[in-house]
Amino acid sequence: MQKICVIGGSRYFGKLLVQRLQAAGHQVTVINRGSTPSPPGVAHLVADRDDEAALIAALGSRTFDVVVDQVCYTPVQAAIAARAFSSRTRRYVMTSTIEVYDPVTASLPTVPPGTPVPEEAVDPSTWLVAMDLPWHDAAYLEAHYAEGKRQAEAVFAQHQGFAFAAVRSAHVLGGGAAEFTGRLAHYVGHVTQGTRITVHAETLPTVFIHYKELADLLLWAATLTDVTGSINACSDGPLDVYDLGAVIAAQAGRKAMYRSAAADEPASPFSFDRHYVMDNARAKELGFSFSHTRDWLPGAVAEAIDASAASTA
């Protein structure tokens, strides 16, 4: 049994992670702002992670074997957590994102299309951190989501108080109504209603992961391995927007229709005109086994179709 602290963990794959940690016999503590109660048997600390004094007060004298941070978006948040947990844990796991590799958002090494992007393309141990940017501004943070994640990783990677791993998640799908991003629902709505999906003139593939598989990987990263550094988390089998549409069309019994985005018009989510498909070889070499996207995607789409039908009933 290990003592595990989860920051966030109140919805989607974070909620599932808490359940699986508890089922595995670990002593689990959840920290959030109190809007969602924790399951029975899970300790619940109410604190705003942005308030360092309140966070430290809530922690008291508690220590943990591992902290899993589900909701760190800025270097400021990371710095607060690094100071608060420096003497309270031996290991820190942060949930990060595929977006750290988006070449539009930073000057990154060029990876030819068709070549999966390895973890070393973004090295948080050398990434520059700028605490004086307006990270507190919601609009700024939304526009700089990828850089916020890169710099948050960098703060932890350059901190000396604990071992650190960053799980860089692919686009997460599955769970029907629980999938709060609404991206799969966006496609389901277009296909079932017979409206056109806006795509780039030339589209490139991306990678996905089922929310249950991501919870499994986070459980593995937190309790079953001592791996440090960055870990790409994606199912095998990249898909482009047309592949996704075809799976939805097959499940819905409808035809997916498309139109090209006009100049400066945003395309639908998962339509990409730039390459940053992740390479998951490192996690495999370390012992984690991934599913294939096409094995679970039809089920995830069926859940999304059911959730859409239920919401309009």
Side-chain angles (χ1 to χ4, degrees), residues 77-240:
Q77 291 178 325
I80 289 172
R83 290 190 294 267
F85 287 97
S86 187
S87 61
R88 290 182 170 87
T89 190
R90 63 172 179 80
R91 180 169 174 78
Y92 203 102
V93 178
M94 172 188 157
T95 303
S96 190
T97 173
I98 185 178
E99 302 301 334
V100 301
Y101 299 117
D102 187 348
V104 168
T105 63
S107 178
L108 300 173
T110 300
V111 180
T115 303
V117 181
E119 287 86 351
E120 54 264 30
V122 175
D123 183 358
S125 68
T126 60
W127 200 264
L128 295 178
V129 174
M131 294 288 191
D132 57 347
L133 295 174
W135 296 115
H136 62 281
D137 181 85
Y140 180 87
L141 179 56
E142 182 178 3
H144 297 83
Y145 171 74
E147 182 61 14
K149 283 289 193 179
R150 283 188 289 260
Q151 291 196 26
E153 284 189 31
V155 169
F156 289 126
Q158 295 166 29
H159 183 67
Q160 301 299 313
F162 40 63
F164 173 66
V167 173
R168 293 171 174 168
S169 171
H171 307 291
V172 189
L173 299 179
E179 187 190 318
F180 65 91
T181 67
R183 292 178 176 178
L184 187 54
H186 168 90
Y187 283 90
V188 165
H190 277 289
V191 173
T192 57
Q193 295 167 26
T195 54
R196 296 183 182 276
I197 301 164
T198 305
V199 299
H200 293 96
E202 295 184 12
T203 63
L204 292 172
T206 188
V207 283
F208 301 90
I209 190 167
H210 193 271
Y211 81 108
K212 292 181 179 179
E213 186 165 45
L214 182 54
D216 287 340
L217 190 143
L218 288 166
L219 175 67
W220 169 80
T223 65
L224 300 176
T225 180
D226 287 326
V227 61
T228 58
S230 305
I231 307 165
N232 288 341
C234 59
S235 300
D236 292 332
L239 302 176
D240 66 21

